[in-house]
Amino acid sequence: MSSDPPSFKVRRAAVLGAGVMGAQIAAHFVNAGVPVVLFDLPAKEGDPLGVVRRGIAGLSKLEPAPLAAKDLAAEIDAAEYANGLEALRSCDLVIEAIAERLDWKRDLYAKIAPHLAPGAVLASNTSGLSIAALAQALPPERRARFCGVHFFNPPRYMPLVELVAAPATDPALLDALETFLTATLGKSVIRAKDTPNFIANRIGVFSVVATMIHTARLGLGFDEVDALTGPAIGRAKSATFRTADVVGLDTLAHVIGTMRDTLPDDPWHRHLAVPPVVAALVEKGALGQKAKAGFYRKAGKAIEVLDPASGGYRESAGQVAPEVAAILAIPEPGEKFAKLRVSTHPQADFLWSIFRDTFHYAAYHLASIADNARDVDLAIRWGFGWSAGPFETWQAAGWDDVAAAISDDVSAGRALASVPLPAWVRGDKVGAARGVHSREGAYSAATDRFVSRPALPVYRRQRFPDALPGERFDRGTTVFETDAVRVWHLEREVAIVSFRTKRHTISPGVLDGVRRALEEAERGFAGLVLWQDKEPFSFGADLSALAPAAQAGRWSEVEGIVARFQQASLALRYSTVPTVAAVRGMALGGSCEFILHCDRAVAALESYPGLVEAGVGLLPGGGGTKEFALRAAEAVRHAPTGGQADQFPFLRAAFGTVAQATVAKSALEAKALGYLKPADVVVMHPHEVLHVAIGQARALADAGYRPPLPPRAIPVAGRTGIATLEMMLVNLRDGGYITGYDFVVGLAIARVLCGGEVDAGTTVGEDWLVDLERAEFMKLAQDARTQARIAHTLATGKPLRN
């Protein structure tokens, strides 16, 4: 698999099934810029495309939003099976996503097969039906280009896609599909064996079943279990029962039922039954979030949880017991698990039990469901949102010690199944590595060897993939390092600066580090890339660094820091080498201002830039407000009619974005808001951002890069623009949409955007706007109401509306 896979170009895709999942898969294709046609049955009355159009319209109501920009819904074409199958002839990839009925899927395949293009790929999004059985419905000549492509819900946000071969699937096609799914759709692909529920649902759903069994055994509340099985153990905030409500209890019951029906010889088979509480809720229609009641329901503003004893609902108030919280806070995993095992507290008993049974189940089935332990761990991370998969968690806690504890519980009848751990668990190879992950790769139980990661060329674009124990990736060569930043390079050509502060906030040390990084880049590199080794990109300026000087009234010191921030932003703009921001995750406040000043940004689709300073009673003071004033003037210059009369629509848009502290919900939305420029690059896979950013810096350098000339004659709206924006603020204040102090902050932003108290049409230089921005920032910073907002945010992490 080290050679380049055959070219697989998807000029157009089709999705069969306009239900919630199918419509969201179609949405993600258009997020990626891939034209797509969405099919479903013709409506029984009225518009024949009514079913599909309702599915597309429903995308706007889903949270989190499936579409990276609202207007993308119009890019999804609608078709129905009775009269629209000819549209399939122009599709290179067809994803089937109808209900989980083998007979329905087979009937559909027989219907569409004659209409598929000769080289088209047909793939099923089934969550666990047999791919081999589905392939039998296709003509023999079609089977080489059929496989399973299982997206996880919601498909825009969940990284995992399981790729499953049918017996006749062309291996080269799998390589090409994996490349397309990774680079074009931004997915993280795992090759799964064709076994019921594949990998992630097989292990993840079993873990849910085990959790429900031990919840009932120990008499714990559902909210109590959610407190235990969320972030407290490195899992999603929605934990277990909230997640079940979101997925749908009928869907959960179906998946568990599939495991029961298709795994009669599983040693845990007697436990693969729909838990009584789930069956009862489904029977009365309490299916979870979509039915507004399940394990939880909303009562006004309160969240209520089902009380298993009474069958009614009570206020949700579950918490981790202090003594169990103390155990979970132990940093060393071996000690933590040892104390969970010996504790007599029911919550500790519960946690050890669910870990033990999941470890046991995963080990027993590893050889049959996955190529290696890495695939299991990453599938669970990417598909279920766990911070660590079962095998890496086990290994971190001490492989031999945990194995011995599992065996003891099996012998004593405390485990859910009586089968012993497989022999490989204590075999020579795993024993020598002290687990299933090592520098040689991940253990394959089927072949009794350690195997390396896939070697497809697409993975060369991922410089730092999600690491597992024992894995080490080239961290490059350090140029210099401080407490605040590290400046380094991978191949000498382009320098990279990474922040070392908490949440990558911009402290005075970061400001100094960025300036020094630019000096180093200008001396010996082709460009400079701003990149962080993990999300977020940055939470912006470190307000706590300003607080001591502000509290002591040392305002000249505060102004000096603000000026340094502005100068750092301008240095990014006017450096003699190209600067590129490589963005993923949140990019708030001052870090968004850095992005605005770089020559280019390369942003993962899931990037969320925003100038949020208004929320703490300030305006963007690192050049951000100035930059929006410049961009409004530039938009006027390039407008079809031009002239001063056209300036206000651009100013109003800029003002709304900055004054409302708007955070983009995707990189595509960031372009619409002006946080990203039209030439900035959106990358679907977050692990490819650094690779593409380095390439952008090289390309700019190779083109003979020169920094832009500072603008000298910027037409501003002056007093007229300020008055117009002030009227907007008056209406918002009088209508109760903003507070009195929001009005004050908004007016300060308006003054900078409009160039200050000058006549309309006056031309100013960039330095004028920089000075005006800093002056208005300082006025706000010295206001007691801003100081109250900052103090409240630092203390609570939440904004204060005063």
Side-chain angles (χ1 to χ4, degrees), residues 142-378:
R142 281 276 173 203
R143 295 174 189 173
R145 299 187 72 76
F146 173 76
C147 63
V149 174
H150 178 215
F151 291 83
F152 276 67
N153 191 22
R156 171 182 163 186
Y157 301 94
M158 297 305 293
L160 180 62
V161 167
E162 290 174 316
L163 187 58
V164 190
T169 305
D170 178 3
L173 172 67
L174 294 173
D175 289 352
L177 262 178
E178 184 167 350
T179 298
F180 168 79
L181 291 164
T182 302
T184 303
L185 296 188
K187 297 290 103 183
S188 297
V189 178
I190 293 293
R191 303 272 185 108
K193 296 184 179 182
D194 188 12
T195 56
N197 285 10
F198 309 134
I199 298 175
N201 277 341
R202 182 73 176 273
I203 303 299
V205 172
F206 172 80
S207 178
V208 171
V209 170
T211 297
M212 292 185 174
I213 289 170
H214 292 299
T215 298
R217 175 177 67 84
L218 293 163
L220 302 180
F222 303 128
D223 52 343
E224 183 180 7
V225 168
D226 277 353
L228 289 164
T229 58
I233 58 171
R235 298 184 186 176
K237 189 176 180 181
S238 55
T240 301
F241 293 101
R242 285 186 189 277
T243 297
D245 273 358
V246 171
V247 169
L249 300 186
D250 53 340
T251 301
L252 176 64
H254 174 79
V255 174
I256 296 171
T258 298
M259 291 180 71
R260 178 194 62 231
D261 296 343
T262 56
L263 296 168
D265 298 325
D266 192 305
W268 285 262
H269 183 264
R270 68 187 180 92
H271 298 295
L272 299 180
V274 178
V277 64
V278 174
L281 287 168
V282 170
E283 186 176 354
K284 67 179 184 180
L287 306 179
Q289 183 173 284
K290 60 188 173 186
K292 303 190 184 308
F295 286 107
Y296 293 89
R297 73 177 185 186
K298 269 189 126 177
K301 293 185 178 180
I303 301 294
E304 295 183 336
V305 64
L306 182 68
D307 182 349
S310 67
Y313 287 85
R314 58 170 174 78
E315 186 174 350
S316 175
Q319 292 184 333
V320 179
E323 66 183 87
V324 176
I327 295 174
L328 293 177
I330 296 171
E332 204 285 306
E335 181 184 357
K336 180 187 306 182
F337 270 81
K339 290 197 171 181
L340 284 176
R341 291 198 299 270
V342 300
S343 172
T344 58
H345 195 285
Q347 290 186 0
D349 180 352
F350 166 81
L351 287 171
W352 163 245
S353 296
I354 64 171
F355 277 114
R356 174 201 64 214
D357 290 326
T358 302
F359 294 164
H360 189 191
Y361 193 83
Y364 184 87
H365 290 294
L366 174 60
S368 64
I369 68 172
D371 180 69
N372 58 73
R374 176 179 53 248
D375 288 351
V376 172
D377 281 339
L378 291 180

